[in-house]
Amino acid sequence: AVVTLNNVNVTGNAVEDDKGAGIAVYDGSSLVMNGGKISDNRLYLYFDTFERTEGALYVDEATVILNDVIISGNSADDGEILGVAISLNSNCKVTLNRCHVFENAFAEDQKCYSIFYLEDAGCELEVNDSYIINNGRPIYSVSRGSRSTAFASNGKLTLNRCEIKGNQSYMLLIAAQYASAVNTFNECVITDNPCGVLCSVGNPYKS
């Protein structure tokens, strides 16, 4: 299936113990979104039996292109939340062109958090000429095992001519945990991001 959304706002939706609070794209499908918003969608995780919840935009074995889209105000409740804005699961490619990603946040006692999440080497995220600003929130005290980061990438992450500013996390701005990660930043401005470490290669969360 191929779906095109022109100036469509996906806003105010919620998902409980599942993935894709705003949009979920699966099974070889393609989505092209021109203009519009993915905003104010909320992820809830209630049951311990469900491992985690992911993504205002969740992509699994599919292709997504976002042109001039605003991704903002998406949030996550307690639990292990990966990719509050965008989560890529397996064998997929997501491209953002001239997008604004801002003020996506998470609960204060979050166990695990990221703005973008790439599960494995089959995931590719390319961000061009976009703004990634004021996502996250400060965490002043965390329990053992808690962590947060802006970009959690185990796949291929490429940012070209982007501004990355004011994103708050407890530990890292960019986490490249495994050998499969290939992260490239070209002609980007990275400034004023309150976090412990700018970039970590390897698994910073090992005990």
Side-chain angles (χ1 to χ4, degrees):
V2 178
V3 176
T4 301
L5 303 178
N6 295 318
N7 297 314
V8 172
N9 295 334
V10 181
T11 184
N13 303 287
V15 66
E16 299 177 4
D17 301 311
D18 209 340
K19 302 174 182 180
I23 301 174
V25 189
Y26 293 93
D27 299 335
S29 298
S30 296
L31 169 68
V32 178
M33 189 169 180
N34 300 308
K37 299 178 181 180
I38 303 173
S39 64
D40 300 310
N41 301 290
R42 189 162 179 83
L43 296 154
Y44 294 94
L45 186 64
Y46 288 140
F47 299 107
D48 292 337
T49 54
F50 197 86
E51 292 183 359
R52 66 196 190 199
T53 184
E54 303 176 34
L57 170 62
Y58 176 77
V59 185
D60 184 15
E61 297 187 342
T63 302
V64 173
I65 299 174
L66 305 180
N67 299 314
D68 305 295
V69 174
I70 293 172
I71 305 171
S72 68
N74 300 291
S75 59
D77 204 359
D78 187 25
E80 185 166 344
I81 314 292
L82 299 176
V84 168
I86 300 176
S87 182
L88 289 70
N89 187 52
S90 182
N91 296 323
C92 53
K93 180 173 181 178
V94 176
T95 304
L96 278 65
N97 298 313
R98 303 173 305 279
C99 292
H100 287 68
V101 183
F102 63 93
E103 295 179 0
N104 300 283
F106 55 101
E108 185 174 358
D109 54 353
Q110 200 69 45
K111 177 183 176 183
C112 183
Y113 161 81
S114 62
I115 301 166
F116 299 98
Y117 180 70
L118 286 70
E119 173 73 22
D120 58 30
C123 300
E124 182 175 352
L125 174 63
E126 181 178 332
V127 186
N128 302 309
D129 304 297
S130 297
Y131 295 91
I132 302 164
I133 297 176
N134 296 336
N135 297 281
R137 61 172 291 171
I139 303 179
Y140 298 109
S141 63
V142 295
S143 61
R144 179 177 173 81
S146 297
R147 64 263 192 190
S148 69
T149 180
F151 299 92
S153 174
N154 302 314
K156 182 178 180 181
L157 171 67
T158 304
L159 284 88
N160 298 311
R161 303 170 303 279
C162 294
E163 183 173 341
I164 304 163
K165 181 178 180 180
N167 301 289
Q168 302 187 73
S169 64
Y170 170 64
M171 288 187 67
L172 307 165
L173 181 66
I174 305 156
Q177 290 182 253
Y178 304 111
S180 60
V182 178
N183 300 316
T184 305
F185 293 73
N186 297 312
E187 300 180 44
C188 293
V189 175
I190 303 174
T191 184
D192 297 330
N193 296 281
C195 55
V197 180
L198 176 61
C199 181
S200 175
V201 179
N203 191 346
Y205 306 133
K206 285 184 178 180
S207 300

